[in-house]
Amino acid sequence: MSGVYGDLPEIIGAMVMAIHPELRWETGPGARSQHRLCVTGGGDPRLRVLAERWRRAAPPPTETWEFAAAREPQPGMLTGTLEGLAQPVDLGLARIAVDWDDRSALAELTVYHPAFTRMSTNDCRLAGRLLVDWLLGEDDVQRWVGALNVARTDPRDSQPAAVVPEFFQAVATRNANPRWTIREAQTSSGHRVIVCTLRPLRWVDHPLLDLHTAVRISYRRTGPDGLPDGDALMGLQNLEADLGALLGSRGELVASETCNGLRILHYYSDSEDQNGRDSFDRFARARKEVQVTHTGDPGWAGVQKFISGT
């Protein structure tokens, strides 16, 4: 490339804005190609869906260009200086404290930099967010970071920013295969509630599955605590298996709740896949004990209580 871009940035910017005015784009070195064009929603689940659809419609990578729907790790940025804020930020001086919570499989990060004492809170937050995005990549920030703070004094237990990616590489290895977990609670009326959840539960692992479908199945035969007895449990399992066979890969079951004559199955599917939604509806129409409710939910807010572990 000659390095002379003319009006190309304005053309690309207009085309990205035509997809959605809140999307942003940037270029940088590629992992497999010389350059990468990234269209990013900045961590917004609604925009991540659009960016992912754009990426999947893009041509295959070439020696010159590859395409991404989220900022990928750029650890080499730590050797540079972030300009354009009230103070230049020498990224190599940044330190980060990591507070990991095993229950939710999420971390709280606190970013410190000496320059923060001379910067506004907004500039500190922007610098901290960019730094963490470059260290981990935008998707891993969504996947493993529950809260991101900035500090003007060096927190206890902080470490150089450069070593933080090693921690999250180990986290990813430990959580490479989500597993079903079972928890029990009790309603105010004394009924037992059994909750089964696929954990860690992360929308960013399935960015196109933006439609939440709650499948409510009523069962009559219950034990004294409101939970299904043997026959009812077998019937519920058979219904779940039938629905799974009907959906195939179109839907992802992520959680279920069972209490007092009702089991709720929480599925996610692609809102643009009409056949997936129709499969749920046809399944319910054929069975009087089944009801379904569809809700657009790109960030999986409908199962947030299972993600947080509360």
Side-chain angles (χ1 to χ4, degrees), residues 1 189 224:
M1 296 180 67
S189 58

Side-chain angles (χ1 to χ4, degrees), residues 253-307:
L253 176 64
V254 300
S256 70
E257 305 170 83
T258 306
C259 177
N260 195 28
L262 179 68
R263 171 166 288 184
I264 305 175
L265 305 175
H266 296 273
Y267 282 88
Y268 280 88
S269 60
D270 185 341
S271 62
E272 292 199 355
D273 179 5
Q274 189 63 45
N275 290 327
R277 182 171 183 149
D278 287 347
S279 294
F280 287 111
D281 293 338
R282 284 189 285 110
F283 185 82
R285 284 196 298 269
R287 296 161 178 84
K288 63 181 180 180
E289 73 272 29
V290 178
Q291 295 180 327
V292 298
T293 304
H294 305 290
T295 308
D297 187 12
W300 292 19
V303 293
Q304 185 62 45
K305 58 186 176 182
F306 306 131
I307 295 173

Side-chain angles (χ1 to χ4, degrees), residues 75 78 94-96 98 135-136 157-170:
L78 287 180
R95 298 181 64 84
I96 299 178
V98 180
L135 275 178
L136 305 180
D157 300 330
S158 71
Q159 51 194 323
V163 307
V164 170
E166 297 178 11
F167 174 85
F168 286 98
Q169 288 164 10

